[in-house]
Amino acid sequence: MKKIDTEKVKQFYEEVDAVWQEDKWYTYSRKIIEKFILNQNIAANHYILNAGSGGSDYNLSNKMEHLDLAENKINIFPNYTVGSIENTIYPDNSFDCVICVGSVLNYTDALASISEISRVLKSKGQLILEFESSWGFEHLKTKAYKKDAEILDLKYYNSYHKQWVYSPSYIESILNSYGFKITMTKKFHILSSLHFRFSQNENKAAYFDKFDSFLEKIPYFKNHSDNLIISAIKL
């Protein structure tokens, strides 16, 4: 299977000042993700694995283990591990909740990552997972469009990086195979994704994000969102 060079990913995120690019597109993404996480009402006593933390605790007061390839983004926390979600050092059934957002999944093998998440997550534990979809309008007429899994060169911080994009049905099938039940899904960057397909300008495309709350109720459009965030329970 194709692989992404994790050393290049590590080097890139160690060198940038901030994990989140400061423009309208990514400011909106972060807002949607943070709101979704806070709306899950995670119990205060739940132990969380923040996989691909990037240095954010999402304003949660829970005991949290931060996992990331870039040590300089997480070494400010008392509990952290340098590594990838594809292969961790944690014992089985260690966590009550796993958060894996910021398209962290798109830098990894989704099957290996979800398998590892399932291993370290307790029964009845919660997974919050976000990823970039191959169904996004951004990928129209590319080799990745609607594919289960494909590697593309995607623009971030004015340079191109190899990332996986995954179809929602592929991710759902993996989750189902590891005994997860999806309880909530939020889709975002819908019409903005179509604008970006032609403009290649994220700031201009982000203007159309204001239509997400309407378009995510319309089957055709919601299926073509660039990003999805999912809440699931391990049965």
Side-chain angles (χ1 to χ4, degrees), residues 141-201:
K141 296 185 179 181
T142 73
K143 65 178 182 178
Y145 185 53
K146 293 187 177 182
K147 290 284 186 66
D148 282 350
E150 185 60 68
I151 289 180
L152 290 178
D153 289 313
L154 299 177
K155 190 177 180 182
Y156 193 55
Y157 271 110
N158 297 315
S159 59
Y160 286 87
H161 307 269
K162 291 193 180 298
Q163 293 182 44
W164 287 100
V165 289
Y166 296 112
S167 73
S169 60
Y170 177 66
I171 297 301
E172 184 175 354
S173 70
I174 299 174
L175 290 170
N176 288 340
S177 70
Y178 283 97
F180 284 95
K181 178 182 179 182
I182 296 174
T183 57
M184 186 180 297
T185 301
K186 173 74 177 175
K187 301 181 178 185
F188 57 102
H189 289 315
I190 303 174
L191 194 57
S192 56
S193 174
L194 182 60
H195 188 284
F196 180 73
R197 173 70 181 88
F198 297 101
S199 71
Q200 293 298 296
N201 186 311

Side-chain angles (χ1 to χ4, degrees), residues 61-122:
S61 59
N62 301 68
K63 181 182 177 183
M64 184 178 289
E65 180 75 23
H66 292 260
L67 172 69
D68 205 285
L69 289 171
E71 183 173 4
N72 63 356
K73 297 297 184 290
I74 56 174
N75 59 11
I76 58 172
F77 298 104
N79 303 306
Y80 74 90
T81 304
V82 178
S84 169
I85 189 58
E86 293 172 290
N87 183 22
T88 74
I89 63 171
Y90 310 119
D92 295 356
N93 308 309
S94 295
F95 300 97
D96 302 290
C97 178
V98 175
I99 297 173
C100 184
V101 298
S103 296
V104 170
L105 190 71
N106 294 93
Y107 287 103
T108 70
D109 177 336
L111 180 59
S113 296
I114 293 172
S115 171
E116 188 68 358
I117 288 169
S118 177
R119 184 186 68 78
V120 302
L121 188 62
K122 296 176 183 177

Side-chain angles (χ1 to χ4, degrees), residues 125-141:
Q126 182 178 16
L127 168 62
I128 300 172
L129 181 69
E130 184 261 339
F131 64 96
E132 184 162 341
S133 169
S134 65
W135 278 63
F137 281 129
E138 175 185 348
H139 306 302
L140 279 170
K141 296 185 179 181

Side-chain angles (χ1 to χ4, degrees), residues 6-20:
T6 55
E7 284 303 312
K8 287 184 178 180
V9 177
K10 177 181 180 179
Q11 181 180 0
F12 171 74
Y13 280 103
E14 284 180 338
E15 291 176 353
V16 294
D17 292 331
V19 169
W20 288 93

